[in-house]
Amino acid sequence: MDVLDLLQWPAMVLSIVASWLVASNAKRRRGWGFWIFIASNVAWVVWGLHTGATALVVLQFCLAAMNIRGVFKAEKT
């Protein structure tokens, strides 16, 4: 087993932690959740490229774009 094969597990944990934080009422926790989501997107992209999971890579870019859009929309309110 390649060490990059193991990257899926921390990527999964990052995604779960980020989801928990983004749902918080505290602005600071939501901010941390955003950055952890970006880290999970990067981890999933690296793993997806390594394993040839093209759809997963495209999904991660789309999710990152939606997270970035959400931050800009939240700042306006």
Side-chain angles (χ1 to χ4, degrees), residues 4 6 9 12 15 19 23 26-27 33 36 41 49 51 56 62-63 67-68 70 73 75:
L4 281 179
L6 300 175
W9 296 104
M12 180 200 64
S15 298
S19 296
K27 184 176 182 178
I36 294 172
N41 294 136
L49 291 172
T51 60
L56 179 68
C62 293
L63 291 173
N67 282 329
I68 293 167
K73 288 185 70 121
E75 287 178 357

Side-chain angles (χ1 to χ4, degrees), residues 3 9-10 12 16 20 23-24 28-29 35-36 46-47 51 54:
V3 79
W9 296 104
M12 180 200 64
I16 293 168
W20 181 268
S24 173
R28 186 169 184 196
R29 285 186 185 157
W35 287 110
I36 294 172
V46 170
W47 184 81
T51 60
T54 307

Side-chain angles (χ1 to χ4, degrees), residues 1-26:
M1 177 176 281
D2 191 340
V3 79
L4 281 179
D5 289 332
L6 300 175
L7 186 58
Q8 65 184 311
W9 296 104
M12 180 200 64
V13 170
L14 286 172
S15 298
I16 293 168
V17 170
S19 296
W20 181 268
L21 291 171
V22 166
S24 173
N25 288 330

